[in-house]
Amino acid sequence: RMGSRGKPRQGTFFEPSTVGAAPPPRADHCCVALGGHIVVHGGNSAHGPLEDMYALNVGAAARSGAWRWERVSPQGEVPPARFGHSLVRVSDTTAVLFGGADDNEYRWYNDTYTLRFSFEGTPASPGATRCISIAAGGAAPTSTALPTPRCGHSLSLVPTSPPSLVLFGGSN
């Protein structure tokens, strides 16, 4: 809920009205706020790890009174199903995904993906969210060792010049 000056009131939680197909139940997923959207990726379900992606348009409430869910169909190389990974915002339209695990395959990851989004949609579907590209991380420079595969870690963007990502903890 908003306070008298348009700022959220401290200490209050609320369940917003939503429309659209919400993601199925999950745990150990990751999400990131990009612009007026919250992007949810992967996680673990009762049937195993997930590779799906959803966007919650929180800016839609200004137009319709409800936040809007939509499933996002990415273009490019889609990360394999995983949970316990991280997703970090690097701009209003770009995020970096790292690591995670797939216990069905007994596999832990140390891969990275750059996800770029378009929130304008297309003429046929205005306002729709599109993941316009996913690029798998390339080889690291020879002076940089890749982190070991892990899940349950944290990853943060440090606003240095150039920006850096700091990885901490996790297990494998």
Side-chain angles (χ1 to χ4, degrees):
R1 304 272 182 219
M2 295 294 179
S4 61
R5 296 185 185 196
K7 295 181 181 176
R9 284 186 259 171
Q10 289 185 329
T12 60
F13 289 90
F14 69 101
E15 186 173 343
S17 297
T18 62
V19 295
R26 64 194 60 219
D28 302 322
H29 54 284
C30 59
C31 43
V32 64
L34 299 174
H37 298 76
I38 298 172
V39 175
V40 177
H41 179 268
N44 216 353
S45 73
H47 306 290
L50 301 164
E51 66 181 359
D52 57 0
M53 190 181 312
Y54 287 80
L56 179 61
N57 183 340
V58 299
R63 295 183 296 279
S64 68
W67 295 2
R68 186 180 72 241
W69 279 110
E70 59 184 313
R71 183 155 186 178
V72 178
S73 298
Q75 297 175 359
E77 183 180 341
V78 177
R82 63 187 65 209
F83 63 89
H85 52 308
S86 54
L87 189 59
V88 175
R89 175 192 183 276
V90 293
S91 77
D92 279 348
T93 58
T94 306
V96 172
L97 183 148
F98 172 79
D102 176 349
D103 60 358
N104 285 344
E105 299 290 326
Y106 300 104
R107 184 167 183 187
W108 284 256
Y109 297 102
N110 67 339
D111 52 357
T112 59
Y113 291 85
T114 301
L115 287 66
R116 289 187 174 79
F117 294 87
S118 168
F119 298 113
E120 288 90 38
T122 63
S125 183
T129 301
R130 294 182 303 134
C131 184
I132 54 176
S133 69
I134 297 181
T142 54
S143 63
T144 304
L146 286 173
T148 57
R150 65 189 69 206
C151 70
H153 56 275
S154 62
L155 185 65
S156 297
L157 178 71
V158 180
T160 55
S161 183
S164 300
L165 291 171
V166 175
L167 175 68
F168 184 78
S171 63
N172 59 11

